[in-house]
Structure formats: C-alpha cells, structure tokens
Amino acid sequence: MKNIVVIGAGTMGNGIAHTFAQSGFAVSLVDVNQNSLDKAIQTITTNLDRIIAKGNLTEEEKAKTLANITTFTDLKEAAPNSDLIVEAATENLDLKLKIFTQIDELAPENCILATNTSSISITQIAAATKRPEKVIGMHFMNPVPIMKLVEIIKGYSTSKETFDEIFELSKTLGKVPTEVNDYPGFVANRILMPMINEAIETLYNGVAGVEEIDTVMKLGMAHPMGPLQLADFIGLDVCLAILNVMYDGFKNPKYAPNPLLVNMVMAGKKGVKSGEGFYDYSESKKAEKVSKMFLK
C-alpha cells in the first residue's frame, strides 16, 4: 500500500492523515469544506511542532510529513488511485452508507475500504458496497498520533486477506492492532460508554459535582482523565450517538443515554468542540479550567 485516502478532516481524520503521512505514505485528505481542510493542516503542523519540541522529530521529517499530504474537496479526484480509503466522517449511519456507496463506485477494484466508526456495524456498512470482503473497521483512538491502540473489526464478510493486510499495516504505523468482532460498540466503547453514562447519571442524581466525580476516578481509580472530562474531549454528541447505537443494537436499558446528556447535546453543549460541556472551554476560562484539572 502506498496511496491512502482519508475522508473527513475533523479531529479523527486529521489525526489519521497525520499518522499515515508521518509513516511515509502518500495521503489524500478529503473534506467537502475547504476551511476544514485548512484547519486540519494547521492542526497537523502544530502537532508536529510539539513532537519536535520534545526532541522526537526533526524539521526535515516535519517537512516530509506535510509534503506527503494533499487536500481535496472532491472525492472523485482522490479516490481513483487509492490503495486504502479510511472513512472518518461523523458517527452517523446514513452518512456512512452514502459515503461507502460512493467510494465503492470510485475506488479501484483492489482498494480496501475502512471505516473509523466507533460503534456502527461493519457488516451493515459493507452491505452498501459490492465488495463486502474488502470492508473493515479501523477504530483509531484519539489523539491518533499518540494513542497506540487500533481496534481492527471484521464484518461478517471481511476476508482473511483483508484482515491480515490491515492488521500488518497498523503495525507499520507504530500501532498495536487488536482483533475485534462486529458487535455494537466493539470493545472500547462497549466498556467505556456505560462508564461515562454512569458518571453522568451520578451527576444527574446529585451524588456529587463534576470535578468531584472526575477527581474520584482520577485519584481513586488511577484514570489519567475523569469520565466527564473525557466525555467533553470525545464530544458529547459522539457519546450520545454511540450509546444510541448500542441501545438500539442490544435493546438493553443499561445503554440508554442519560436525559442530561441528551439535553446538553440538544442545547449545543458538546464539550471541547463547542466551547462548553461539563466544563467551560471558552477562551476566558479554558486556561484556568484545564490547568486546574491537570494539577489535581
């Protein structure tokens, strides 16, 4: 594999593009919004500068990484020469099915189609294509350039050849691939999201405040980040979408999203991305809040 297409220039998409590019792959980063692409390149540049500051990258390597990334607003221009397409769009089934129908028509016959979905059925996504044996899940963790884990999820029809190729490819990125079967939430979010939802339930019931809940989990359970802070970091809308997928998939009340989470998302309080969630991330409060959380 040489040519990688990443669809979606958001947090996950730009992190995936960064990781492939830094590993020497030619990356086409695609998004319908040019401003999102420009922001993604700026984010990647900033993150590379942070790596340089830690002594783990040279200016020459930074330049090569950025040179490996080309941006596109039209998938038709990026897809025809691809060896692997990684979809990293919003966690929305209808959108993903639409994207996979399109890339199936545009990509070469031997191209593998991967999705970074954190909960949606790989089998269902693959059914939107004429190559289900070449559809697979690559669930990267955020922030992608730093986190080692990649959940490699096989759909019902995913071939052994496709799985083996993506499993080995993940190792070349410096990641630790883990084989996972296709069930709602996979492993990471099937365990993580109920914990986050229970933390919200604890707040909703008035057992303790936001910082108190996070402090208990950080100091008592040795978590690097409290569950409510982590929810803000992931995006409350994303947490809600994942919980809904698991609730619909298992029909089990334990996966039903807490009403507080639902209301916060409806009110536009989505966490870091919107400037406010369980914590205030507005410019006037951001430095104060973040430093306080990390000093605890």
Side-chain angles (χ1 to χ4, degrees):
M1 287 192 180
K2 294 181 180 179
N3 300 313
I4 313 298
V5 173
V6 178
I7 300 175
T11 300
M12 296 304 295
N14 76 61
I16 294 167
H18 172 164
T19 300
F20 273 105
Q22 193 174 333
S23 297
F25 292 89
V27 178
S28 297
L29 180 59
V30 183
D31 198 288
V32 294
N33 189 317
Q34 183 62 50
N35 288 335
S36 295
L37 289 168
D38 294 340
K39 184 178 178 181
I41 295 300
Q42 183 55 56
T43 298
I44 293 169
T45 302
T46 299
N47 289 336
L48 289 168
D49 287 336
R50 287 175 179 153
I51 300 172
I52 290 172
K54 293 179 180 178
N56 296 324
L57 194 74
T58 66
E59 287 288 349
E60 182 181 3
E61 289 169 330
K62 170 190 169 182
K64 286 181 179 178
T65 298
L66 292 173
N68 284 338
I69 304 173
T70 306
T71 60
F72 296 89
T73 55
D74 189 348
L75 183 58
K76 292 179 182 178
E77 296 179 20
N81 297 318
S82 54
D83 299 311
L84 169 67
I85 298 179
V86 182
E87 170 272 317
T90 304
E91 194 74 350
N92 177 284
L93 175 60
D94 291 338
L95 176 60
K96 291 184 186 295
L97 294 178
K98 181 179 178 181
I99 289 172
F100 270 78
T101 299
Q102 186 179 11
I103 60 179
D104 184 44
E105 295 173 353
L106 295 173
E109 187 177 336
N110 65 340
C111 180
I112 292 175
L113 310 181
T115 173
N116 182 58
T117 181
S118 51
S119 61
I120 296 172
S121 168
I122 307 304
T123 302
Q124 189 172 6
I125 291 173
T129 77
K130 297 181 179 68
R131 62 180 91 188
E133 75 284 353
K134 287 189 170 293
V135 177
I136 195 165
M138 290 185 79
H139 181 209
F140 291 86
M141 304 294 123
N142 186 28
V144 181
I146 296 172
M147 300 291 279
K148 292 291 186 181
L149 176 66
V150 184
E151 286 185 306
I152 309 297
I153 307 109
K154 301 178 294 183
Y156 184 84
S157 300
T158 304
S159 69
K160 183 179 185 303
E161 291 75 17
T162 296
F163 176 82
D164 289 345
E165 189 165 2
I166 295 303
F167 195 88
E168 293 304 316
L169 174 67
S170 300
K171 292 180 182 179
T172 70
L173 300 175
K175 303 301 184 185
V176 178
T178 302
E179 179 178 351
V180 178
N181 290 318
D182 189 18
Y183 292 94
F186 314 132
V187 172
N189 283 316
R190 185 168 178 173
I191 295 170
L192 174 64
M193 286 302 151
M195 184 191 75
I196 287 177
N197 202 39
E198 191 63 30
I200 299 171
E201 181 83 10
T202 303
L203 176 67
Y204 181 69
N205 289 332
V207 178
V210 171
E211 294 192 21
E212 288 74 17
I213 291 168
D214 279 353
T215 298
V216 167
M217 295 305 291
K218 285 189 289 184
L219 299 186
M221 313 303 165
H223 289 193
M225 186 182 293
L228 299 177
Q229 183 191 359
L230 179 57
D232 277 354
F233 186 65
I234 294 169
L236 303 190
D237 55 333
V238 176
C239 293
L240 178 59
I242 295 169
L243 283 164
N244 280 331
V245 166
M246 292 197 294
Y247 181 61
D248 290 341
F250 293 115
K251 306 301 182 187
N252 190 322
K254 75 177 181 179
Y255 298 115
N258 182 272
L260 175 59
L261 174 62
V262 175
N263 284 341
M264 289 179 72
V265 173
M266 286 195 297
K269 312 300 184 186
K270 300 178 181 179
V272 175
K273 68 174 75 174
S274 68
E276 185 179 353
F278 292 106
Y279 293 90
D280 186 346
Y281 301 93
S282 60
E283 289 304 316
S284 61
K285 296 286 186 180
K286 189 174 181 180
E288 174 189 345
K289 289 286 185 182
V290 172
S291 63
K292 187 175 181 181
M293 284 187 283
F294 279 97
L295 285 172
K296 280 193 172 185

